[in-house]
Amino acid sequence: MTYPLTTSRLSIAPLGADDAAGFVAYRQDPDVARWQGWEPTYSDVEAAQLIASQPSSDLPDRGEWLQLAIHDLGSGKLQGDVAVHALTDLPDTFELGITLVTASQHNGMATEVLKRMLDHLFTTANAHRVTANCDARNSPVARLLRGVGMRKESSQIDVEFFKNEWITLDGYAILQAEHAAQSRGAAHL
Ligand SMILES: CC(C)(COP(=O)(O)OP(=O)(O)OC[C@H]1O[C@@H](n2cnc3c(N)ncnc32)[C@H](O)[C@@H]1OP(=O)(O)O)[C@@H](O)C(=O)NCCC(=O)NCCS
């Protein structure tokens, strides 16, 4: 079993029933929900359904999402989640999404988690390409994605009608070869 993955401060492991209350609490935070596919009315029932429908494999099959909980290694407290989506039409291609509780933002945890996930997907799971998509106005996530070495490669203007407005979606990506080159560069610093 691959999980938990760990960083210096955090553990990353499949979201479980014990996480449900904390998960619902931050999904109901309007600031956290603003750019995401759920509303602050997110319910216990929706969380229970999502947790029950999780794949049991270490990585999702094509077309599936796997939701991983992020816990503080010291306190065990739920800090957020990182979701892995295996793209339907392409082999070895994954999309990542990440959410932190508001109180845990702005201290490098998301960077720590995404670096660990990229390392895991490229070195253990032999991924070819990893992508992420975000609303163009979501500047914290843009800084985060660039900071972990992802390239902005698209900006689709007014591509979706979401939460009662047209939104522009920016696409970011990194290839296995790019990740390996970046890792070699970091090792030489
Ligand atoms: C997207 C999201 C996870 C980014 O979180 P974040 O807290 O900005 O990212 P990090 O945890 O890596 O923290 C980086 C920030 O902490 C600061 N920081 C403080 N201590 C740090 C440390 N020890 N190491 C690294 N950065 C640190 C950095 O300077 C940076 O600040 P800046 O963005 O103002 O430049 C967060 O905004 C979020 O959960 N938003 C709601 C959900 C959402 O929109 N998700 C994206 C959907 S695609």
Side-chain angles (χ1 to χ4, degrees):
M1 182 67 176
T2 302
Y3 302 106
L5 303 174
T6 56
T7 69
S8 56
R9 292 184 284 181
L10 302 164
S11 79
I12 304 164
L15 191 74
D18 291 350
D19 299 313
F23 184 71
V24 170
Y26 66 74
R27 284 203 159 196
Q28 289 182 346
D29 177 342
D31 290 335
V32 170
R34 178 168 181 210
W35 310 112
Q36 302 278 30
W38 66 83
E39 299 289 346
T41 51
Y42 195 79
S43 68
D44 293 341
V45 173
E46 288 172 279
Q49 284 169 347
L50 185 137
I51 291 168
S53 69
Q54 287 299 295
S56 54
S57 46
D58 281 359
L59 282 175
D61 285 335
R62 285 213 218 164
E64 286 183 337
W65 282 90
L66 173 64
Q67 206 89 25
L68 301 168
I70 303 163
H71 289 100
D72 182 278
L73 271 181
S75 66
K77 216 171 146 196
L78 184 66
Q79 304 294 326
D81 62 90
V82 57
V84 187
H85 175 213
L87 268 66
T88 306
D89 299 327
L90 293 167
D92 303 321
T93 306
F94 299 92
E95 176 186 358
L96 291 174
I98 185 163
T99 301
L100 291 183
V101 301
T102 301
S104 301
Q105 294 176 14
H106 303 302
N107 69 12
M109 281 188 194
T111 299
E112 208 168 297
V113 168
L114 284 198
K115 282 186 173 167
R116 185 70 186 89
M117 288 306 299
L118 290 174
D119 192 45
H120 173 62
L121 290 170
F122 285 127
T123 57
T124 310
N126 198 30
H128 172 64
R129 177 176 146 94
V130 177
T131 68
N133 298 297
C134 64
D135 187 303
R137 296 166 296 178
N138 191 349
S139 45
V141 79
R143 285 195 295 277
L144 169 69
L145 298 174
R146 283 203 168 94
V148 299
M150 298 181 84
R151 278 176 289 103
K152 181 177 169 185
E153 59 178 19
S154 65
S155 191
Q156 295 177 277
I157 297 167
D158 285 2
V159 69
E160 282 184 15
F161 194 72
F162 179 71
K163 299 192 177 179
N164 291 322
E165 58 181 343
W166 289 106
I167 61 159
T168 294
L169 271 188
D170 288 350
Y172 290 77
I174 182 168
L175 297 171
Q176 187 185 52
E178 292 171 323
H179 180 258
Q182 289 174 11
S183 303
R184 281 196 299 274
H188 288 135
L189 290 176

